[in-house]
Amino acid sequence: MRLATLPLLSLLLSAGPTTNAYTPLSDTLLRAIPGPLPADFDPHPDTSPPSSSSSSSSSTTTNTSLLAPLLIPRVPGTPGQAAAQTHLASFFARTLPEWELRWHNFTSRTPATGDRDVPFANLVLRREPPWARRRPGSAGLLTLVAHYDSKMLSGGEFVGATDSAAPCAILLLDGEEAFVKWTEEDSCYGSRALAADWEAATYPAMSTFKNPLRQISLFVLLDLLGAANPEVPSYFQSTHWAYKKMAAVEGRMRAMGLLETKPAKPFLPQEHKMATQFDGRGFVGDDHEPFMARGAPILHLIPSPFPSVWHTLDDDGEHLDIPTVRDWARIVTAFTMEWLDVQKTEPQR
Ligand SMILES: *[C@@H]1O[C@H](CO)[C@@H](O)[C@H](O)[C@H]1NC(C)=O
Ligand SMILES: *[C@@H]1O[C@H](CO)[C@@H](O)[C@H](O)[C@H]1NC(C)=O
């Protein structure tokens, strides 16, 4: 569906040393997940300086749009892409300094650019508990991915709001919710408790992974999200179990009134798809392919049909459905929390 499969924004989060115990979040924990701030997904945030009443407040550093700085043309090798890189990297440096940031840079020629070498830069953010940092390759990694470049489209400024500015902003929020607000603002679930829990657990001798790719316990690719009424099918039988977990999270959040949208069908409508219904034809070519070819389990969050604005100049901030973007952020964050098994650290009453 695109000529290049890069560059990517990847968040690698390590789960506990064992992957066998998957416990759904309690209602209390699900309710406690902080929602997005009004500014997070505002395509046109008020950029005027904060009012005098809050002139000395530091809240302006966090209450800024995650999305708006990405709503510019971001073609590899252009100043727009450099600006997007700065936004992503400085978000982590400022808000999530304990994440390890790595660039994976290379150059390549593309059909559109002929003999010119175009610079590409994948941005990889990694967050592991102390024991895993001491023993690289020992923890499975939940890998959340979106591409942050935009397609070259003639005839105007293509900003690719669903493709994939909004998915990248969702990942930024996810990283933030999972590791800043959750662990630091909510005193019940201190990061220390999580780390201690992980440290106390022993991992079996067999649990060391051969290479970083094998370490990917699930590769979640977000693409073309942000239009209203999305329907994301379950594409792969091998990861349908993970799809079902996320669909269940969505269903519970809807039932509890934690989501804003009221679509006729859920965003993830195929929770009950049967094994016999996977015919291998619904596949959408995308950034996950090189990983899938090497055996990584893929959960592809891409709607079918694609948004009507796909690959048109209308794929911009005005055509995003912001409540849908915010609900995706809530669902992906809750799924991530569940995956990281925070339930185990919930204090027993
Ligand atoms: C963030 O900014 C918005 C205006 O853009 C304001 O309505 C909201 O109260 C602010 N939230 C915080 C937590 O400062
Ligand atoms: C890789 O690319 C990024 C983004 O352009 C840049 O900030 C960084 O300095 C580069 N790193 C290296 C080692 O070239």
Short mmCIF file of all heavy atoms in Angstrom, two decimals, residues 280-325:
data_model
loop_
_atom_site.label_atom_id
_atom_site.label_comp_id
_atom_site.label_asym_id
_atom_site.label_seq_id
_atom_site.Cartn_x
_atom_site.Cartn_y
_atom_site.Cartn_z
N GLY A 280 -7.10 -16.35 5.12
CA GLY A 280 -5.82 -15.83 4.64
C GLY A 280 -5.93 -14.80 3.54
O GLY A 280 -4.93 -14.36 3.01
N ARG A 281 -7.16 -14.36 3.23
CA ARG A 281 -7.29 -13.42 2.11
C ARG A 281 -7.39 -11.97 2.56
O ARG A 281 -7.17 -11.06 1.78
CB ARG A 281 -8.54 -13.76 1.28
CG ARG A 281 -8.29 -14.88 0.29
CD ARG A 281 -9.47 -14.99 -0.63
NE ARG A 281 -10.71 -14.99 0.14
CZ ARG A 281 -11.74 -15.78 -0.14
NH1 ARG A 281 -11.69 -16.59 -1.15
NH2 ARG A 281 -12.83 -15.73 0.60
N GLY A 282 -7.74 -11.73 3.82
CA GLY A 282 -7.99 -10.37 4.27
C GLY A 282 -6.73 -9.56 4.52
O GLY A 282 -6.79 -8.43 4.95
N PHE A 283 -5.60 -10.12 4.23
CA PHE A 283 -4.30 -9.55 4.51
C PHE A 283 -4.09 -8.18 3.85
O PHE A 283 -4.39 -7.98 2.69
CB PHE A 283 -3.27 -10.54 3.97
CG PHE A 283 -1.86 -10.16 4.20
CD1 PHE A 283 -1.24 -10.49 5.39
CD2 PHE A 283 -1.14 -9.49 3.24
CE1 PHE A 283 0.07 -10.15 5.61
CE2 PHE A 283 0.18 -9.14 3.45
CZ PHE A 283 0.79 -9.47 4.64
N VAL A 284 -3.58 -7.21 4.62
CA VAL A 284 -3.24 -5.91 4.06
C VAL A 284 -1.73 -5.72 4.15
O VAL A 284 -1.17 -5.77 5.24
CB VAL A 284 -3.94 -4.77 4.84
CG1 VAL A 284 -3.58 -3.42 4.25
CG2 VAL A 284 -5.45 -4.96 4.85
N GLY A 285 -1.08 -5.52 3.03
CA GLY A 285 0.37 -5.32 3.02
C GLY A 285 0.74 -4.05 3.76
O GLY A 285 0.11 -3.02 3.58
N ASP A 286 1.72 -4.12 4.63
CA ASP A 286 2.06 -2.94 5.43
C ASP A 286 3.42 -3.15 6.10
O ASP A 286 4.12 -4.13 5.83
CB ASP A 286 0.95 -2.72 6.48
CG ASP A 286 0.81 -1.26 6.91
OD1 ASP A 286 1.74 -0.47 6.66
OD2 ASP A 286 -0.22 -0.92 7.49
N ASP A 287 3.73 -2.25 7.01
CA ASP A 287 5.04 -2.27 7.65
C ASP A 287 5.36 -3.54 8.44
O ASP A 287 6.50 -3.76 8.81
CB ASP A 287 5.15 -1.09 8.61
CG ASP A 287 5.11 0.24 7.89
OD1 ASP A 287 5.84 0.37 6.89
OD2 ASP A 287 4.35 1.12 8.30
N HIS A 288 4.37 -4.32 8.73
CA HIS A 288 4.63 -5.51 9.54
C HIS A 288 5.25 -6.65 8.73
O HIS A 288 5.77 -7.59 9.30
CB HIS A 288 3.34 -6.01 10.17
CG HIS A 288 2.30 -6.39 9.17
ND1 HIS A 288 1.62 -5.45 8.44
CD2 HIS A 288 1.86 -7.59 8.74
CE1 HIS A 288 0.79 -6.08 7.63
NE2 HIS A 288 0.91 -7.37 7.79
N GLU A 289 5.19 -6.54 7.42
CA GLU A 289 5.57 -7.70 6.60
C GLU A 289 6.98 -8.23 6.85
O GLU A 289 7.15 -9.43 7.02
CB GLU A 289 5.36 -7.38 5.12
CG GLU A 289 3.91 -7.48 4.74
CD GLU A 289 3.68 -7.09 3.30
OE1 GLU A 289 3.63 -5.88 3.02
OE2 GLU A 289 3.59 -8.01 2.47
N PRO A 290 8.01 -7.32 6.90
CA PRO A 290 9.35 -7.87 7.15
C PRO A 290 9.46 -8.57 8.50
O PRO A 290 10.24 -9.51 8.65
CB PRO A 290 10.26 -6.64 7.10
CG PRO A 290 9.42 -5.47 6.79
CD PRO A 290 8.00 -5.88 6.66
N PHE A 291 8.68 -8.11 9.45
CA PHE A 291 8.71 -8.74 10.78
C PHE A 291 7.95 -10.05 10.76
O PHE A 291 8.37 -11.05 11.33
CB PHE A 291 8.11 -7.79 11.83
CG PHE A 291 8.88 -6.52 11.99
CD1 PHE A 291 8.60 -5.41 11.21
CD2 PHE A 291 9.91 -6.44 12.92
CE1 PHE A 291 9.32 -4.24 11.34
CE2 PHE A 291 10.64 -5.28 13.07
CZ PHE A 291 10.35 -4.18 12.28
N MET A 292 6.83 -10.03 10.06
CA MET A 292 6.01 -11.23 9.99
C MET A 292 6.77 -12.34 9.26
O MET A 292 6.74 -13.51 9.65
CB MET A 292 4.70 -10.93 9.28
CG MET A 292 3.70 -12.07 9.41
SD MET A 292 2.04 -11.52 9.02
CE MET A 292 2.09 -11.63 7.26
N ALA A 293 7.49 -11.93 8.20
CA ALA A 293 8.24 -12.91 7.42
C ALA A 293 9.28 -13.62 8.28
O ALA A 293 9.67 -14.74 8.00
CB ALA A 293 8.92 -12.22 6.24
N ARG A 294 9.73 -12.92 9.33
CA ARG A 294 10.75 -13.52 10.22
C ARG A 294 10.12 -14.14 11.46
O ARG A 294 10.82 -14.45 12.41
CB ARG A 294 11.76 -12.45 10.60
CG ARG A 294 12.62 -12.02 9.42
CD ARG A 294 13.41 -10.76 9.73
NE ARG A 294 14.28 -10.38 8.64
CZ ARG A 294 13.87 -9.71 7.56
NH1 ARG A 294 12.60 -9.37 7.43
NH2 ARG A 294 14.72 -9.40 6.60
N GLY A 295 8.83 -14.24 11.45
CA GLY A 295 8.19 -15.02 12.50
C GLY A 295 7.60 -14.26 13.66
O GLY A 295 7.13 -14.85 14.62
N ALA A 296 7.61 -12.91 13.61
CA ALA A 296 7.02 -12.16 14.72
C ALA A 296 5.50 -12.24 14.65
O ALA A 296 4.92 -12.14 13.57
CB ALA A 296 7.47 -10.70 14.67
N PRO A 297 4.85 -12.42 15.79
CA PRO A 297 3.38 -12.43 15.80
C PRO A 297 2.84 -11.01 15.64
O PRO A 297 3.28 -10.10 16.33
CB PRO A 297 3.02 -13.00 17.19
CG PRO A 297 4.26 -12.94 18.00
CD PRO A 297 5.43 -12.64 17.12
N ILE A 298 1.90 -10.84 14.72
CA ILE A 298 1.44 -9.50 14.33
C ILE A 298 -0.01 -9.27 14.72
O ILE A 298 -0.88 -10.10 14.42
CB ILE A 298 1.52 -9.34 12.79
CG1 ILE A 298 2.89 -9.73 12.24
CG2 ILE A 298 1.12 -7.92 12.38
CD1 ILE A 298 4.02 -8.83 12.61
N LEU A 299 -0.26 -8.12 15.34
CA LEU A 299 -1.64 -7.65 15.50
C LEU A 299 -1.74 -6.37 14.68
O LEU A 299 -1.12 -5.36 15.01
CB LEU A 299 -1.95 -7.39 16.98
CG LEU A 299 -3.38 -6.94 17.29
CD1 LEU A 299 -4.40 -7.97 16.84
CD2 LEU A 299 -3.54 -6.66 18.78
N HIS A 300 -2.48 -6.43 13.58
CA HIS A 300 -2.52 -5.31 12.64
C HIS A 300 -3.78 -4.50 12.88
O HIS A 300 -4.88 -4.95 12.59
CB HIS A 300 -2.50 -5.86 11.21
CG HIS A 300 -2.12 -4.84 10.19
ND1 HIS A 300 -2.21 -5.08 8.83
CD2 HIS A 300 -1.66 -3.58 10.31
CE1 HIS A 300 -1.81 -3.99 8.18
NE2 HIS A 300 -1.47 -3.07 9.05
N LEU A 301 -3.61 -3.30 13.42
CA LEU A 301 -4.76 -2.44 13.69
C LEU A 301 -4.95 -1.46 12.54
O LEU A 301 -4.50 -0.32 12.59
CB LEU A 301 -4.58 -1.68 15.01
CG LEU A 301 -4.46 -2.55 16.27
CD1 LEU A 301 -4.31 -1.67 17.51
CD2 LEU A 301 -5.65 -3.49 16.42
N ILE A 302 -5.57 -1.95 11.49
CA ILE A 302 -5.82 -1.11 10.31
C ILE A 302 -7.26 -1.40 9.88
O ILE A 302 -7.67 -2.56 9.80
CB ILE A 302 -4.80 -1.41 9.18
CG1 ILE A 302 -4.91 -0.37 8.06
CG2 ILE A 302 -4.97 -2.82 8.61
CD1 ILE A 302 -3.76 -0.44 7.05
N PRO A 303 -8.04 -0.34 9.67
CA PRO A 303 -9.45 -0.60 9.35
C PRO A 303 -9.64 -1.12 7.94
O PRO A 303 -8.83 -0.87 7.04
CB PRO A 303 -10.12 0.78 9.51
CG PRO A 303 -9.03 1.77 9.49
CD PRO A 303 -7.73 1.09 9.77
N SER A 304 -10.71 -1.85 7.77
CA SER A 304 -11.14 -2.28 6.45
C SER A 304 -12.65 -2.08 6.38
O SER A 304 -13.36 -2.67 7.19
CB SER A 304 -10.78 -3.75 6.23
OG SER A 304 -11.27 -4.17 4.98
N PRO A 305 -13.13 -1.25 5.48
CA PRO A 305 -12.37 -0.51 4.46
C PRO A 305 -11.49 0.58 5.07
O PRO A 305 -11.68 0.98 6.20
CB PRO A 305 -13.47 0.12 3.61
CG PRO A 305 -14.64 0.25 4.52
CD PRO A 305 -14.56 -0.93 5.44
N PHE A 306 -10.54 1.06 4.25
CA PHE A 306 -9.70 2.18 4.64
C PHE A 306 -10.57 3.43 4.80
O PHE A 306 -11.66 3.51 4.22
CB PHE A 306 -8.65 2.48 3.56
CG PHE A 306 -7.54 1.45 3.47
CD1 PHE A 306 -6.59 1.56 2.47
CD2 PHE A 306 -7.45 0.39 4.37
CE1 PHE A 306 -5.55 0.63 2.36
CE2 PHE A 306 -6.42 -0.53 4.27
CZ PHE A 306 -5.48 -0.42 3.26
N PRO A 307 -10.08 4.44 5.54
CA PRO A 307 -10.83 5.71 5.61
C PRO A 307 -11.03 6.27 4.20
O PRO A 307 -10.16 6.09 3.33
CB PRO A 307 -9.91 6.62 6.43
CG PRO A 307 -8.98 5.71 7.16
CD PRO A 307 -8.84 4.48 6.32
N SER A 308 -12.15 6.94 3.98
CA SER A 308 -12.46 7.44 2.63
C SER A 308 -11.43 8.49 2.17
O SER A 308 -11.26 8.70 0.98
CB SER A 308 -13.86 8.05 2.59
OG SER A 308 -13.94 9.08 3.55
N VAL A 309 -10.72 9.11 3.11
CA VAL A 309 -9.75 10.14 2.75
C VAL A 309 -8.38 9.55 2.40
O VAL A 309 -7.44 10.28 2.08
CB VAL A 309 -9.53 11.15 3.91
CG1 VAL A 309 -10.81 11.94 4.17
CG2 VAL A 309 -9.07 10.44 5.19
N TRP A 310 -8.27 8.24 2.40
CA TRP A 310 -6.97 7.58 2.24
C TRP A 310 -6.24 8.04 0.98
O TRP A 310 -6.82 8.04 -0.12
CB TRP A 310 -7.18 6.06 2.18
CG TRP A 310 -5.91 5.29 2.02
CD1 TRP A 310 -4.86 5.26 2.90
CD2 TRP A 310 -5.53 4.47 0.92
NE1 TRP A 310 -3.86 4.46 2.42
CE2 TRP A 310 -4.24 3.95 1.20
CE3 TRP A 310 -6.15 4.12 -0.28
CZ2 TRP A 310 -3.57 3.10 0.33
CZ3 TRP A 310 -5.48 3.27 -1.14
CH2 TRP A 310 -4.20 2.76 -0.84
N HIS A 311 -5.00 8.46 1.17
CA HIS A 311 -4.13 8.92 0.08
C HIS A 311 -4.74 10.08 -0.72
O HIS A 311 -4.51 10.19 -1.93
CB HIS A 311 -3.72 7.77 -0.85
CG HIS A 311 -2.64 6.92 -0.25
ND1 HIS A 311 -2.01 5.92 -0.93
CD2 HIS A 311 -2.07 6.94 0.98
CE1 HIS A 311 -1.10 5.35 -0.14
NE2 HIS A 311 -1.13 5.95 1.02
N THR A 312 -5.54 10.90 -0.04
CA THR A 312 -6.01 12.14 -0.67
C THR A 312 -5.58 13.30 0.21
O THR A 312 -5.23 13.11 1.39
CB THR A 312 -7.54 12.18 -0.79
OG1 THR A 312 -8.11 12.39 0.52
CG2 THR A 312 -8.11 10.89 -1.40
N LEU A 313 -5.64 14.50 -0.36
CA LEU A 313 -5.25 15.68 0.41
C LEU A 313 -6.22 15.94 1.56
O LEU A 313 -5.94 16.72 2.46
CB LEU A 313 -5.16 16.90 -0.51
CG LEU A 313 -4.10 16.80 -1.62
CD1 LEU A 313 -4.13 18.06 -2.48
CD2 LEU A 313 -2.71 16.58 -1.04
N ASP A 314 -7.38 15.28 1.53
CA ASP A 314 -8.33 15.43 2.63
C ASP A 314 -7.94 14.65 3.89
O ASP A 314 -8.63 14.74 4.90
CB ASP A 314 -9.73 14.97 2.20
CG ASP A 314 -10.45 16.03 1.39
OD1 ASP A 314 -10.01 17.20 1.42
OD2 ASP A 314 -11.45 15.68 0.74
N ASP A 315 -6.87 13.89 3.82
CA ASP A 315 -6.45 13.17 5.02
C ASP A 315 -5.69 14.16 5.92
O ASP A 315 -4.47 14.11 6.04
CB ASP A 315 -5.58 11.96 4.66
CG ASP A 315 -5.33 11.07 5.89
OD1 ASP A 315 -5.85 11.38 6.98
OD2 ASP A 315 -4.60 10.08 5.74
N ASP A 316 -6.45 15.08 6.51
CA ASP A 316 -5.84 16.14 7.31
C ASP A 316 -6.54 16.25 8.67
O ASP A 316 -7.47 15.48 8.96
CB ASP A 316 -5.91 17.48 6.54
CG ASP A 316 -7.34 17.86 6.17
OD1 ASP A 316 -8.29 17.26 6.72
OD2 ASP A 316 -7.51 18.76 5.33
N GLY A 317 -6.09 17.20 9.46
CA GLY A 317 -6.63 17.35 10.82
C GLY A 317 -8.14 17.56 10.84
O GLY A 317 -8.83 17.07 11.72
N GLU A 318 -8.66 18.29 9.84
CA GLU A 318 -10.10 18.58 9.81
C GLU A 318 -10.93 17.32 9.62
O GLU A 318 -12.06 17.24 10.06
CB GLU A 318 -10.43 19.55 8.66
CG GLU A 318 -10.13 21.00 8.97
CD GLU A 318 -8.65 21.25 9.19
OE1 GLU A 318 -7.81 20.70 8.42
OE2 GLU A 318 -8.30 21.95 10.15
N HIS A 319 -10.36 16.34 8.95
CA HIS A 319 -11.13 15.13 8.67
C HIS A 319 -10.92 14.03 9.71
O HIS A 319 -11.48 12.94 9.59
CB HIS A 319 -10.80 14.59 7.26
CG HIS A 319 -11.33 15.48 6.17
ND1 HIS A 319 -10.66 16.59 5.74
CD2 HIS A 319 -12.49 15.43 5.45
CE1 HIS A 319 -11.36 17.19 4.79
NE2 HIS A 319 -12.47 16.51 4.59
N LEU A 320 -10.11 14.32 10.71
CA LEU A 320 -10.00 13.34 11.80
C LEU A 320 -11.26 13.42 12.66
O LEU A 320 -11.84 14.50 12.81
CB LEU A 320 -8.80 13.66 12.70
CG LEU A 320 -7.40 13.33 12.19
CD1 LEU A 320 -6.38 13.85 13.18
CD2 LEU A 320 -7.23 11.84 11.97
N ASP A 321 -11.66 12.31 13.22
CA ASP A 321 -12.71 12.33 14.22
C ASP A 321 -12.02 12.21 15.59
O ASP A 321 -11.57 11.12 15.97
CB ASP A 321 -13.69 11.17 13.99
CG ASP A 321 -14.88 11.26 14.94
OD1 ASP A 321 -15.60 12.28 14.89
OD2 ASP A 321 -15.07 10.33 15.75
N ILE A 322 -11.89 13.34 16.26
CA ILE A 322 -11.04 13.37 17.46
C ILE A 322 -11.55 12.44 18.57
O ILE A 322 -10.75 11.77 19.22
CB ILE A 322 -10.84 14.83 17.94
CG1 ILE A 322 -10.19 15.68 16.81
CG2 ILE A 322 -9.95 14.89 19.18
CD1 ILE A 322 -8.87 15.14 16.30
N PRO A 323 -12.88 12.36 18.79
CA PRO A 323 -13.32 11.37 19.80
C PRO A 323 -12.88 9.94 19.45
O PRO A 323 -12.53 9.16 20.35
CB PRO A 323 -14.85 11.51 19.77
CG PRO A 323 -15.08 12.93 19.34
CD PRO A 323 -13.99 13.21 18.33
N THR A 324 -12.85 9.61 18.16
CA THR A 324 -12.38 8.28 17.76
C THR A 324 -10.89 8.13 18.08
O THR A 324 -10.46 7.09 18.58
CB THR A 324 -12.63 8.06 16.25
OG1 THR A 324 -14.04 8.11 16.02
CG2 THR A 324 -12.08 6.72 15.79
N VAL A 325 -10.10 9.18 17.80
CA VAL A 325 -8.67 9.13 18.11
C VAL A 325 -8.48 8.93 19.61
O VAL A 325 -7.68 8.10 20.06
CB VAL A 325 -7.95 10.43 17.65
CG1 VAL A 325 -6.48 10.39 18.03
CG2 VAL A 325 -8.10 10.62 16.15
#
